[in-house]
Amino acid sequence: MTTTQSPVRNGVDTATLFATLDAVKQAPEAAQFRFRARNRWVSGTHSQSTIDDFYGVGEERSHDAPTTLDVDHPRVLVGGDNGPTPVEYVLHGLAGCLTAGLANIAAARGIELTEVTSTVEGDIDLNGILGLDDRVRNGFQQIRVSFDVKGNAPAEKLRQLVEQSRARSAVFDIITNSVPVTIQVDAG
């Protein structure tokens, strides 16, 4: 009797993961992607973003279904609490990126995960955002990430998964390194 090992580990199709790595090694231009979010103001501090189309592997593409995300401020910050704040989406993005990377790396290394949870917290001083103190930055002063990872590997190997995910995380890189941002305004 012959058995074959499933190419899916931790919900990650490892055969596709390795095929993607090989394809990008052969054609580096295929690695160029452009993601977009289209936003529209609703009222007050409430707006909605739709995420649907993107550019990747040499052509325009779309997700299987568009996703609409509400952004707002809580009532204590003069909002209607119709959704998370923009900075909470940044924390969500960091948690999601680190977790996805961890799952991919574990799958590639043959490690079965049984549980991965994290808490991501960021500290902001409103004196900066409100323009009350020029010495206070507008954004997070500090972000802390705490992971609890369980799987079929020793604790040190599980910690190494998190460290490798941090080293490869696009969102971690965006948050910790300066990214040029241009703003164009069409007013009328």
Side-chain angles (χ1 to χ4, degrees):
M1 180 174 152
T2 306
T3 60
T4 58
Q5 188 175 10
S6 171
V8 177
R9 183 177 295 112
N10 305 323
V12 176
D13 181 340
T14 56
T16 300
L17 174 63
F18 289 123
T20 300
L21 289 169
D22 289 341
V24 171
K25 285 178 189 174
Q26 296 300 315
E29 65 279 1
Q32 301 303 313
F33 276 69
R34 177 173 290 147
F35 293 101
R36 331 183 154 89
R38 291 187 168 80
N39 184 275
R40 72 173 186 82
W41 172 67
V42 176
S43 178
T45 59
H46 182 201
S47 66
Q48 290 182 329
S49 291
T50 300
I51 298 172
D52 186 14
D53 59 320
F54 61 96
Y55 176 88
V57 194
E59 65 184 59
E60 287 294 324
R61 300 171 175 274
S62 293
H63 289 281
D64 289 343
T67 299
T68 300
L69 304 165
D70 285 281
V71 177
D72 203 351
H73 291 172
R75 294 188 194 290
V76 69
L77 294 176
V78 196
D81 213 5
N82 293 293
T85 65
V87 295
E88 288 168 315
Y89 275 109
V90 171
L91 299 178
H92 168 66
L94 180 59
C97 190
L98 290 170
T99 301
L102 190 153
N104 280 337
I105 295 162
R109 293 181 181 179
I111 296 173
E112 297 283 342
L113 298 172
T114 55
E115 182 178 350
V116 178
T117 60
S118 64
T119 301
V120 183
E121 297 178 313
D123 301 326
I124 283 186
D125 181 339
L126 293 183
N127 283 297
I129 296 170
L130 297 174
L132 300 174
D133 188 338
D134 292 346
R135 297 167 296 171
V136 176
R137 69 178 293 162
N138 295 336
F140 286 123
Q141 296 169 320
Q142 181 181 16
I143 296 175
R144 292 171 303 284
V145 181
S146 174
F147 268 98
D148 185 11
V149 183
K150 294 178 177 54
N152 71 345
E156 184 54 31
K157 292 274 187 202
L158 297 174
R159 279 191 282 282
Q160 289 171 359
L161 295 175
V162 174
E163 177 52 31
Q164 182 62 27
S165 179
R166 183 210 55 81
R168 300 275 51 101
S169 169
V171 177
F172 185 89
D173 178 76
I174 290 165
I175 291 171
T176 59
N177 293 297
S178 178
V179 177
V181 176
T182 59
I183 298 177
Q184 174 186 327
V185 178
D186 294 326

